[in-house]
Structure formats: structure tokens, C-alpha cells
Amino acid sequence: VSDPTAIYLDHNATAPLLPEVLDVMARALAQAWANPSSIHGPGRKARSAVETARAQVAGLIGGDADEIVFTSGGTESNHLAIRGLARSGQRPRRPGLLSSPLEHPSVLGALQSLTEEGFAQRWLEVEASGRLAVQDLEARLGSDTGLVSLALVNHELGNLYPIADLARRARAAGALVHCDAVQALGRLPLDVAALGVDALSMSAHKIGGPKGVGAVWVKRGIEPASQLTGGHQEHERRAGTENVPGIVGFGEACKLAGRGLADRIERIARLRDRLEEKLLAIPGSRLHGDAAGRAPGVSNVGFSGAPGQLVTIGLDLEGVAVATGAACSSGTVAPSPVLLALGLAPDEAREAVRFSLGPGNDEQQIDRAAALVEAVVARVRAAA
Ligand SMILES: Cc1ncc(COP(=O)(O)O)c(C=O)c1O
């Protein structure tokens, strides 16, 4: 964010590129330009840069480097994990898929593509807060369920799900478990062994890395069916010459994300609570999501009688960047499917504004943003 007066509160859409990441990427572009599959010296230099990054990504989630498959981002990671696990052929073919209607569109798209191939989709029930009932998972897990896919943190609400518990039950029923951790990476401590999942999706740009690069952690012994075939890269799990500078930037972002994580979480949670208290003091405001079980940086608030899109535009004119629902659905006036799944009426869902904080925010920004929200909401209501 180059304008010093601008206040960026849209970290769930993307995080600003970290200066250290820019540095290592510039160096990689200039110096690690060769094809990492080449056996000559320049190729080996590029390979070494990729492998250093692989260890850095694995290190942030408690995995091993050889369990990391680099991809073009969270969307591809979700497709590789979901389609790849469902079609891996390592288990007796089980056609049942179990997920929640609150998942990111990239998860829903991958699941949809499988149902078109004959897989059968089941959905978990969602409470008004967006909580998922553990008992409901048990009720819906059938002997035909082959794959359960659930996010660790919801992209619109910030809700945090008890994946370790859900995964244990799903695996006991013989299903493989995929977790979309794109909104959790670098924002919460992650340990793949403790989560007990089979595959976990990540994306670099949510943590200050570049766009267009991500990874899937795949538990050793699990072989997802490759979705991009041809070349032998990534141990036959994902064909295509590696995005070396992107991967190097992702590795650096993971290294930095692991430093001081506990302090950062506490600071961001305090700022979010400070913001939320002020927002909820505005008459006619209400919180969406699970106040008792959320990731630290997110607050999704609706202001009755003030369409979220107009509030977002009004705030943008004041230099405050926020979002209405998922970034990929902005530009459309369709209400957020996540909020509709919570049982909100379409007009109520259209009033929601998502505030998502990051390490660059401070108290001064939060107080100024809250005051501007109050003024903009009043203006939008008066004009309506
Ligand atoms: C939960 C979740 N999954 C997946 C993605 C997709 O990641 P990418 O933008 O890297 O494709 C996002 C990004 O918005 C997300 O929030």
C-alpha cells in the first residue's frame, strides 16, 4: 500500500507483497532463471532455490519437504487435492463426497466437476453462525464416503473449524480428508500431523507472497491423481516447469510468517476486537459468523439499510479498502452464497461488509476506519 493515508482491511482477498519477498524474487528472476529440471550448473542453481523454498513451506506447517507439491495457487491446489484424492485409486472406489456449502468457490467447483463424473455429493448442515455440527458429520458419513473436504478458516466469516476432530471421525469411517487452509496459513499455528488430514491447500498471496503460486501438502503414502500431466515435475504429481521466482517468494513468505506468529496473532486479534466493538456500536449493525470461534483478523458486519457495495465504494473514496463477501464475486450484485447458507435473506446478505486485518494495521488506522465506516453508513442510509 503506497499511499500512507490508505487503510488496507482486505487481507482475506490478498495481502500486500512483503518487501523481503520482493527482494528474493528479484534475485531469483535474475539469477535462478534456468530450468530446474536441467542437469547443468544453472539448472542446479534453480533447483536448489526451489528445494530451499519447499523446505520453508513444509516448515511452516510441520510437514516434510517431499510432501509439498507446488501449484499455481489455492485454486489449483484445491483441484489437485480434491479431484486427485477422489480419483487416486488407492482406496476401493467410494463415490461419496462430503463438504459444506460455505466452502470457497474453487472447492465447490472441484466438487461439482466430480459430481458431473458420477460422484455423489452430500452437504453438512450449517448453523446460523456458520458453525458445523460434529454430530451432523457422523450422521452424514456413509460407508460410500470417499472424501471429506472442509476449510480450516472460512474466507468470508473467519470462522475456524474443528478440523482435527472432524478429520478423526471422517478417517475412522474410511474417508480421505482434504483441508483448504488458504485462509489459515501464516495466520494461525498449523501442524498437519495434529490436524490429521491427508492433504492441505495453501496459497502464497494471502501471506505476503506473490500471486499465482501455492502448494498442496500431501501426506506421505497418499498419491493424488495428477491433474496436469505430461512433464515429470513435482515427482509426477504436477507437470509444468516450476514458477521459480514465485516459489522462492512463497518460501520466503512462509519463513517470515513463522517468525513472531503468536505475537502477531494476539496483536491482530486485539485490533479486530477494537474495530468490531466500534462497528457494533453503530445502530442497526450486526455481526455475521461465529463470534466464539473465529480466526483473529476477520469481522463480517452488516449495516441495515446500507447496501454493502455502496458502503465499500464510499469507504474506498475515503481510502479504506474493505470487501463485500468473496473478492472473486465482487462486480456482481449477487448476494454472498456463504451468507445465504447461514439463512440470511438476500437483502440482508447484500448489506454485509468484510473487514480483514493484517500485520500492517495499527490502532490509529482502526480508529480512523471505524469513524469513516460510521460516517459512510450514515451517508448511504440517508441517500437510500
Ligand atoms: C479459502 C480459499 N481457498 C482458496 C482460495 C483460492 O486461492 P488463489 O487465489 O490462490 O487461487 C482462496 C482465495 O480467495 C480462499 O480464500
Side-chain angles (χ1 to χ4, degrees):
V1 185
S2 45
D3 176 356
T5 64
I7 302 174
Y8 188 75
L9 301 177
D10 198 13
H11 290 80
N12 277 23
T14 200
L17 191 78
L18 294 166
E20 298 92 333
V21 170
L22 181 58
D23 278 354
V24 298
M25 287 182 71
R27 233 176 303 134
L29 272 166
Q31 295 169 11
W33 48 265
N35 190 323
S37 296
S38 300
I39 58 174
H40 46 59
R44 290 199 307 277
K45 187 166 181 176
R47 168 60 53 204
S48 161
V50 168
E51 297 313 316
T52 299
R54 199 184 302 280
Q56 289 168 324
V57 174
L60 186 57
I61 59 169
D64 287 333
D66 64 357
E67 296 172 311
I68 299 294
V69 184
F70 285 117
T71 66
S72 65
T75 297
E76 188 194 328
S77 293
N78 283 336
H79 278 253
L80 171 56
I82 292 171
R83 293 186 50 81
L85 290 184
R87 306 168 99 248
S88 72
Q90 278 175 310
R91 303 272 168 105
R93 189 181 141 88
R94 285 174 157 206
L97 307 169
L98 188 56
S99 187
S100 105
L102 307 179
E103 299 303 316
H104 188 267
S106 57
V107 166
L108 300 177
L111 292 170
Q112 170 73 25
S113 74
L114 287 170
T115 60
E116 286 162 10
E117 293 169 21
F119 285 80
Q121 179 71 54
R122 265 191 228 131
W123 301 107
L124 291 173
E125 289 279 345
V126 176
E127 295 176 8
S129 65
R131 242 186 253 182
L132 299 173
V134 172
Q135 313 83 284
D136 188 42
L137 178 98
E138 300 231 299
R140 274 160 216 264
L141 269 172
S143 55
D144 68 336
T145 308
L147 177 66
V148 174
S149 177
L150 293 169
L152 186 53
V153 173
N154 181 269
H155 54 292
E156 289 194 40
L157 306 168
N159 280 10
L160 175 61
Y161 293 97
I163 294 300
D165 192 7
L166 295 164
R168 191 168 39 77
R169 292 163 199 265
R171 287 171 55 85
L176 292 170
V177 181
H178 163 248
C179 177
D180 176 349
V182 166
Q183 292 290 354
L185 185 76
R187 298 168 177 185
L188 291 170
L190 286 188
D191 176 10
V192 282
L195 286 173
V197 298
D198 297 288
L200 181 119
S201 301
M202 301 168 261
S203 177
H205 73 93
K206 307 287 184 187
I207 64 165
K211 283 151 197 69
V213 59
V216 190
W217 169 85
V218 184
K219 187 179 172 157
R220 187 169 298 113
I222 304 279
E223 281 304 326
S226 180
Q227 300 302 299
L228 290 178
T229 51
H232 303 293
Q233 291 89 353
E234 299 298 283
H235 295 286
E236 312 275 347
R237 293 177 290 190
R238 197 269 187 185
T241 302
E242 296 87 342
N243 169 4
V244 178
I247 288 170
V248 165
F250 186 18
E252 180 73 11
C254 287
K255 182 182 97 187
L256 297 170
R259 287 189 188 153
L261 178 59
D263 289 347
R264 215 164 51 244
I265 289 172
E266 200 196 310
R267 201 173 82 77
I268 291 174
R270 235 186 5 249
L271 289 175
R272 191 270 312 272
D273 292 346
R274 185 182 179 102
L275 175 67
E276 196 165 274
E277 196 185 321
K278 291 171 194 288
L279 297 180
L280 295 179
I282 298 172
S285 61
R286 67 204 168 286
L287 182 70
H288 303 304
D290 182 4
R294 278 181 303 167
V298 190
S299 189
N300 190 315
V301 178
F303 304 95
S304 64
Q309 233 179 12
L310 298 183
V311 173
T312 300
I313 292 166
L315 284 171
D316 183 43
L317 294 173
E318 304 286 355
V320 182
V322 299
T324 56
C328 32
S329 60
S330 62
T332 71
V333 282
S336 143
V338 169
L339 296 176
L340 294 181
L342 303 192
L344 267 68
D347 279 344
E348 209 179 355
R350 281 195 194 90
E351 289 166 353
V353 180
R354 181 186 69 188
F355 302 83
S356 51
L357 283 58
N361 297 131
D362 59 29
E363 286 185 0
Q364 217 182 341
Q365 289 183 352
I366 292 306
D367 293 351
R368 184 168 153 71
L372 287 167
V373 173
E374 185 167 11
V376 167
V377 166
R379 215 183 300 150
V380 169
R381 281 175 172 161

